[in-house]
C-alpha cells in the first residue's frame, strides 16, 4: 500500500456563513497531493499548549505555512500598525510562532509561502515592511488587477543566490515569479539565509542557515500551477522528497 507522507498545513481563522471556521484554500492542498503528499489541515486552536503542539508535529512528515490575506500582528516585531495593515489573524500568528521552533527541533521539513515566509522571518526576530510600495526604492509587489490566472502569473525577475538551498534545488541563476503581497522583509531574522532577491533588493526567499533539513520559505506562490513553472516544480519536488525521508 502506497502511504503518502502526511503534511500539516496551517489553517487561517475565517468566518464562513456567520460561523468561526478554520480554512485552507484548495490550491495549497492540491499542489501537495499532486506531488505525492497527503495534506492535512491543522486548525489553529487558541491556547494550544507547547506539549500538545510538539506531539501534533511529531505525527507529521512535513509542515506548510501558507499564504493569507491577513498579516502578522506588527506588535510581534515591535512595530506600530500602519494604515494599510488592516487584517489580522491572531490565532494563526500564535500557532505559527509556536510551530516554527518545534518543527526545527524535530527537523520536520518546513515550507513557508508568502505569509508563511513572513512568519518564519518574524519567528527568527526579523521585522516586516507593512506597505512595501511606500518604501523608497522598492517596487509595488501587490497583485495586479485581473482574473486569478493574471494575478498569479510571473511578474518580476528573481535572482537566486548561489550556494544556497534554493540554488541546490534549481540550477538557473534567475527566473520570474508571481507577486501578491503588500508586506515584505525589513530586518532579516537572526540565523536566516537569503536565498533569493527581487530586482529592487527585497528578500524573496529564505532558509534556516544551520537547519540540517528542508527549511525554505518564499514570498511568491509556487503552489499556483507548480508543474508549469520549473522553479515552483523544483521546490515541491524537493519538499516532497524531504517529507518522504523524514
Ligand atoms: N498578507 C501578507 C501576505 C500575502 C499573502 O500571503 N497573500 C496570499 C493571497 C491569497 C493566497 O494565495 O493564499 C501580505 O500582504 O504581504
Amino acid at each position: 500500500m502506497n502511504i503518502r507522507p502526511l503534511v500539516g498545513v496551517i489553517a487561517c481563522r475565517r468566518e464562513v456563513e456567520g460561523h468561526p471556521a478554520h480554512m485552507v484554500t484548495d490550491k495549497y492542498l492540491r499542489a501537495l497531493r499532486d506531488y505525492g503528499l497527503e495534506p492535512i489541515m491543522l486548525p489553529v486552536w487558541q491556547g494550544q499548549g507547547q506539549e500538545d503542539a510538539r506531539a501534533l508535529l511529531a505525527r507529521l512528515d512535513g509542515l506548510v505555512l501558507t499564504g493569507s490575506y491577513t498579516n502578522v500582528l506588527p506588535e510581534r516585531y515591535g512595530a506600530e500598525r500602519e494604515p494599510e495593515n488592516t487584517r489580522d489573524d491572531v490565532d494563526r500568528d500564535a500557532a505559527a510562532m509556536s510551530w516554527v521552533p518545534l518543527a526545527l527541533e524535530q527537523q520536520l521539513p518546513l515550507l513557508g509561502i508568502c505569509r508563511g515566509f513572513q512568519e518564519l522571518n518574524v519567528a527568527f526576530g526579523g521585522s516586516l515592511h507593512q506597505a512595501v510600495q511606500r518604501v523608497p526604492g522598492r517596487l509595488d509587489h501587490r497583485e495586479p488587477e485581473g482574473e486569478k490566472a493574471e494575478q498569479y502569473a510571473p511578474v518580476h525577475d528573481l535572482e537566486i543566490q548561489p550556494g544556497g538551498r534554493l540554488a541546490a534545488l534549481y540550477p538557473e541563476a534567475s527566473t520570474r515569479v508571481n507577486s501578491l503581497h503588500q508586506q515584505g522583509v525589513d530586518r532579516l531574522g537572526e540565523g536566516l539565509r537569503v536565498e533569493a532577491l527581487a530586482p529592487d533588493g527585497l528578500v524573496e526567499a529564505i532558509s534556516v542557515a544551520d537547519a540540517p533539513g528542508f527549511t525554505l520559505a518564499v514570498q511568491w506562490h509556487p503552489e499556483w500551477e507548480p508543474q508549469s513553472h520549473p522553479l515552483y516544480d523544483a521546490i515541491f519536488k524537493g519538499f516532497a522528497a524531504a517529507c518522504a525521508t523524514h
Side-chain angles (χ1 to χ4, degrees):
M1 178 170 57
N2 175 22
I3 305 285
R4 290 168 172 261
L6 195 65
V7 174
V9 183
I10 193 169
C12 295
R13 290 306 305 267
R14 301 291 285 272
E15 188 172 289
V16 176
E17 307 287 343
H19 294 283
H22 302 255
M23 189 207 77
V24 177
T25 51
D26 177 83
K27 56 188 172 69
Y28 296 102
L29 306 172
R30 186 173 304 277
L32 293 167
R33 270 196 66 82
D34 288 349
Y35 282 83
L37 301 169
E38 189 62 66
I40 183 167
M41 184 188 77
L42 302 179
V44 287
W45 300 118
Q46 291 179 6
Q48 180 186 45
Q50 189 180 39
E51 285 315 306
D52 282 352
R54 180 175 279 121
L56 171 66
L57 297 189
R59 300 169 71 175
L60 301 174
D61 301 306
L63 178 65
V64 174
L65 304 178
T66 68
S68 174
Y69 291 107
T70 65
N71 300 308
V72 179
L73 271 183
E75 292 88 335
R76 286 197 173 269
Y77 47 92
E80 295 291 320
R81 185 187 295 273
E82 295 179 15
E84 297 89 346
N85 188 349
T86 59
R87 295 184 65 176
D88 303 334
D89 186 342
V90 294
D91 295 333
R92 157 115 193 213
D93 286 350
M97 296 303 123
S98 163
W99 295 350
V100 164
L102 294 174
L104 293 167
E105 173 191 283
Q106 298 181 22
Q107 298 184 16
L108 185 64
L110 173 63
L111 175 60
I113 295 173
C114 211
R115 190 198 212 263
F117 161 89
Q118 297 165 358
E119 288 165 343
L120 183 64
N121 187 54
V122 172
F124 273 76
S127 64
L128 302 175
H129 292 302
Q130 296 178 55
V132 173
Q133 68 275 14
R134 284 199 291 103
V135 179
R138 297 289 195 229
L139 298 170
D140 185 343
H141 286 255
R142 292 173 292 183
E143 63 264 31
E145 294 297 320
E147 301 299 317
K148 290 300 178 200
E150 295 167 287
Q151 291 189 323
Y152 285 83
V155 284
H156 70 63
D157 291 343
L158 183 83
E159 181 193 331
I160 296 171
Q161 300 307 288
R165 303 283 178 88
L166 195 59
L169 292 172
Y170 180 74
E172 304 300 325
S174 64
T175 185
R176 286 175 67 79
V177 295
N178 57 40
S179 185
L180 299 97
H181 61 104
Q182 176 163 242
Q183 305 203 347
V185 170
D186 180 2
R187 183 182 67 251
L188 185 70
E190 191 73 32
L192 295 178
R193 176 194 180 110
V194 174
E195 294 283 351
L197 296 170
D200 59 359
L202 192 72
V203 176
E204 288 270 334
I206 55 179
S207 64
V208 178
D210 64 357
F214 187 108
T215 55
L216 182 69
V218 300
Q219 184 65 85
W220 65 92
H221 287 269
E223 82 285 357
W224 184 268
E225 300 179 353
Q227 285 148 337
S228 64
H229 190 299
L231 173 61
Y232 305 1
D233 184 53
I235 290 169
F236 274 93
K237 281 177 178 168
F239 180 63
C243 295
T245 54
H246 176 65

